[in-house]
Amino acid sequence: MYLGGHVNIFNESDIIRIVYNGQIVDEMRVPIHGPKVEILKVYNWYFDRFGKGCLLKDVRIIVKNDGDAPAYVESIKLIKSDTKLISWVSMHEYPILPNETKTLSASAEFYKIVNNQGTLVALPKGLLLDNATLQLIGPKGEILASTIVSLEVKC
């Protein structure tokens, strides 16, 4: 269930009307295709000690929106086989406007998803997440962009 205030607009249209003396003289339908987000760079992985392992605390992601509508990214998912981590993006980074390049930060703990619930979990030091999938997720759970990343857990 979606409870937020922002949504990404995909494949809709708007109508522009020319009105003269209260009468519609002309109207034109303008298609809106929606945001088209591309991940340009993923860097600055930061881990913090937690118990006997490490917590992923931060990552920076440079993104570009080549679409015709703003993009709203709510969370970042990092997925590697049975390891699924999620972090929420700071609200001040909303929105990514059309033709804008922006650096997103997931400056919060990444939670492991187990049975549809988020739990803080320590990743083993030295764990190699090779060819993991990083996804940018919109407010309604839609995948806006994804890329393959490789990283080693270090803290």
Side-chain angles (χ1 to χ4, degrees), residues 64-82:
K64 180 171 171 109
N65 180 6
D66 283 326
D68 57 5
Y72 295 92
V73 178
E74 182 177 87
S75 62
I76 296 169
K77 284 186 182 176
L78 182 63
I79 303 165
K80 175 65 178 176
S81 61
D82 64 341

Side-chain angles (χ1 to χ4, degrees), residues 81-154:
S81 61
D82 64 341
T83 304
K84 294 181 177 119
L85 304 174
I86 188 168
S87 181
W88 282 263
V89 176
S90 302
M91 294 296 267
H92 72 274
E93 295 166 345
Y94 280 177
I96 306 164
L97 300 175
N99 298 312
E100 181 179 36
T101 299
K102 188 175 264 195
T103 302
L104 300 180
S105 171
S107 301
E109 287 88 4
F110 276 71
Y111 290 85
K112 186 171 184 178
I113 303 302
V114 179
N115 296 328
N116 291 327
Q117 293 189 0
T119 307
L120 269 180
V121 65
L123 298 173
K125 196 184 310 185
L127 174 69
L128 182 61
L129 294 174
D130 194 27
N131 294 320
T133 302
L134 183 110
Q135 297 175 333
L136 302 181
I137 309 296
K140 287 184 153 183
E142 69 277 21
I143 298 171
L144 297 173
S146 67
T147 191
I148 301 299
V149 295
S150 294
L151 66 137
E152 183 180 354
V153 176
K154 296 179 183 178

Side-chain angles (χ1 to χ4, degrees), residues 7 10-11 20 32 41 45 49-50 67 71-72 74 77 83 91 98 102 111 113:
V7 295
F10 292 100
N11 300 319
Y20 181 73
I32 301 171
K41 183 178 180 181
W45 298 94
R49 289 181 190 269
F50 183 74
Y72 295 92
E74 182 177 87
K77 284 186 182 176
T83 304
M91 294 296 267
K102 188 175 264 195
Y111 290 85
I113 303 302

